[in-house]
Amino acid sequence: MSVAFVGLGANLDDPQRQLALAFDELARLPHTALLKRSSLYRSAPLGYASQPDFVNAAAKLETALEPVRLLEALLAIEARHGRTRSFPNAPRTLDLDLLLYADRMQDTAALTLPHPRMHERAFVLKPLLELEPGLSIPGRGTASALLAACKDQAVERLA
């Protein structure tokens, strides 16, 4: 069994409900246990700004699924929620990112671990630190130091 962290985000079709349903689906993944779930956070969109604010969260899982299999399961959950990828940073019903998988570092066509931009995003780091206050990101440093470098990004805790 390995510990993995998943980032959740949504800004369409009742985002808070989308995340609540996604947490339930994560808890039902085969050979996987949902250990912790963060609070919900609101953040402004990055990249494409003409869209609603996002609701974000993080989940801590224990899983026997290998990273690519876990990613495939996450993509299947997104698809069930009507996720489409019309253009980069587009609005979405649900986004599930495999952020960390144990201390694994890999860069393949299928998957990059740690997630390649997580260290630059307060909306990822804040919920992660709620779940794991001493978290380090392989190859990047402590999540708390990385969050301090994102101080210009407003993230508001909702619940």
Side-chain angles (χ1 to χ4, degrees), residues 32-111:
T32 301
L34 175 62
L35 299 179
K36 289 184 183 178
R37 55 191 282 176
S38 75
S39 302
L40 303 180
Y41 293 84
R42 176 180 290 122
S43 64
L46 294 178
Y48 177 66
S50 290
Q51 61 181 315
D53 284 351
F54 278 86
V55 176
N56 299 99
K60 182 179 181 179
L61 308 176
E62 187 174 57
T63 186
L65 298 174
E66 285 299 312
V68 171
R69 295 285 176 239
L70 179 55
L71 177 62
E72 289 169 352
L74 299 178
L75 294 174
I77 294 170
E78 285 183 355
R80 286 193 296 274
H81 285 252
R83 169 75 190 266
T84 59
R85 297 174 189 275
S86 51
F87 59 90
N89 301 310
R92 60 205 75 156
T93 53
L94 182 64
D95 185 24
L96 298 175
D97 290 327
L98 180 52
L99 302 171
L100 298 166
Y101 187 98
D103 289 330
R104 190 171 297 193
M105 295 178 71
Q106 73 180 60
D107 190 1
T108 66
L111 178 63

Side-chain angles (χ1 to χ4, degrees), residues 129 141-150:
L129 282 165
T142 65
S144 57
L146 294 165
L147 179 60
C150 298

Side-chain angles (χ1 to χ4, degrees), residues 102-124:
D103 289 330
R104 190 171 297 193
M105 295 178 71
Q106 73 180 60
D107 190 1
T108 66
L111 178 63
T112 300
L113 290 170
H115 186 282
R117 292 169 304 284
M118 67 178 286
H119 64 284
E120 302 170 340
R121 297 176 169 171
F123 66 83
V124 172

